[in-house]
Amino acid sequence: MIRTNQEFLQLIKQLPDMQMLTVPPGKQLFKQDERAHHVYFISRGIAKCYITEDNGKDYILEFFGEGEIIGELELLRDAPILSNVDALTELTLYKADKYTFWQLIDTNKDFNRVMLKELATRVSQLAIRVSYQQLYPVEYSVLKLLSLFSHEELPLSKQDLADYMAITVRSLNRSLKQLKERQFTPPEELELSISSQEIEKLLRRFEEA
């Protein structure tokens, strides 16, 4: 669930004159609808990328980890920032201004190759995520997410989980209750990588949140 790109990170580490900085948890890196003047590459930590709708509701697009680039779409499109990006944990970042970013695009074939792979991966994974949410009931989507997040060191709240699924906390609570009543038995197509006991602990955690 947390996107990483070690190939990108190793490439960035080899580039000269990359500015490094550290930001604390809760720091906002980009604000929706403003203009971007630089990109970040995550060296360590986790960031949350989300869109805030006109009604004030948030929708989480991605969780970014090591090696992920942030802000590239806005510079490529010369458009306002699509989404908010906040530091969930302390972040160590490489920072490149607009000029440096475009210089890499124009002159560095390895950078272009890895960038294209990154963009293609994001599109394909988004398609998988959307199709999965359409094919399965909310309860099984919750179950799958819990199993995936169980392996991540991510300070995930009940609100974050609901925002990631584009549902309300009330709907999430109802799904958690139904999973508990049905003893959370998944369909055969829903592959889980953790035990039912671990799932039960996760369900208890979110029920108590």
Side-chain angles (χ1 to χ4, degrees), residues 28-36 48-54 57-62 64 70-85 119 122 126:
Q28 188 165 70
L29 303 177
F30 287 114
K31 185 174 182 180
Q32 187 174 323
D33 296 328
E34 292 188 351
R35 303 293 299 191
K48 177 176 71 172
C49 176
Y50 62 99
I51 289 177
T52 300
E53 303 291 351
D54 292 338
K57 180 174 173 55
D58 293 334
Y59 174 59
I60 296 178
L61 299 172
E62 299 280 4
F64 291 129
I70 306 170
E72 80 290 350
L73 292 179
E74 288 74 14
L75 295 191
L76 288 171
R77 297 171 56 240
D78 190 25
I81 296 170
L82 173 66
S83 57
N84 304 294
V85 181
L119 295 175
R122 290 188 187 182
L126 177 61

Side-chain angles (χ1 to χ4, degrees), residues 9-138:
L9 181 57
Q10 295 309 312
L11 175 62
I12 296 302
K13 286 181 176 180
Q14 298 172 18
L15 297 177
D17 304 322
M18 293 294 289
Q19 179 185 352
M20 288 201 72
L21 67 155
T22 300
V23 300
K27 173 75 173 180
Q28 188 165 70
L29 303 177
F30 287 114
K31 185 174 182 180
Q32 187 174 323
D33 296 328
E34 292 188 351
R35 303 293 299 191
H37 303 287
H38 51 265
V39 295
Y40 292 115
F41 304 89
I42 300 178
S43 175
R44 183 175 57 83
I46 302 168
K48 177 176 71 172
C49 176
Y50 62 99
I51 289 177
T52 300
E53 303 291 351
D54 292 338
N55 60 6
K57 180 174 173 55
D58 293 334
Y59 174 59
I60 296 178
L61 299 172
E62 299 280 4
F63 292 100
F64 291 129
E66 294 180 0
E68 287 298 311
I69 181 174
I70 306 170
E72 80 290 350
L73 292 179
E74 288 74 14
L75 295 191
L76 288 171
R77 297 171 56 240
D78 190 25
I81 296 170
L82 173 66
S83 57
N84 304 294
V85 181
D86 297 351
L88 271 185
T89 66
E90 181 178 84
L91 293 176
T92 302
L93 304 165
Y94 291 98
K95 181 180 179 180
D97 60 25
K98 184 186 297 187
Y99 172 80
T100 302
F101 175 76
W102 277 108
Q103 188 176 43
L104 288 169
I105 291 289
D106 292 338
T107 63
N108 192 313
K109 291 183 179 179
D110 289 336
F111 184 87
N112 274 284
R113 176 180 57 81
V114 178
M115 171 72 77
L116 287 172
K117 286 175 63 178
E118 169 73 9
L119 295 175
T121 299
R122 290 188 187 182
V123 171
S124 63
Q125 291 190 351
L126 177 61
I128 292 171
R129 173 182 165 187
V130 171
S131 63
Y132 185 88
Q133 291 178 342
Q134 292 293 323
L135 287 172
Y136 291 103
V138 173

Side-chain angles (χ1 to χ4, degrees), residues 134-176:
Q134 292 293 323
L135 287 172
Y136 291 103
V138 173
E139 292 77 22
Y140 292 138
S141 295
V142 171
L143 190 59
K144 182 62 173 178
L145 284 175
L146 288 175
S147 79
L148 292 171
F149 278 122
S150 69
H151 300 291
E152 310 284 4
E153 295 181 4
L154 181 65
L156 187 69
S157 69
K158 184 181 289 188
Q159 185 66 62
D160 285 333
L161 187 60
D163 291 344
Y164 190 80
M165 298 182 63
I167 61 177
T168 64
V169 172
R170 182 178 180 181
S171 295
L172 176 60
N173 285 334
R174 184 166 56 248
S175 297
L176 291 170

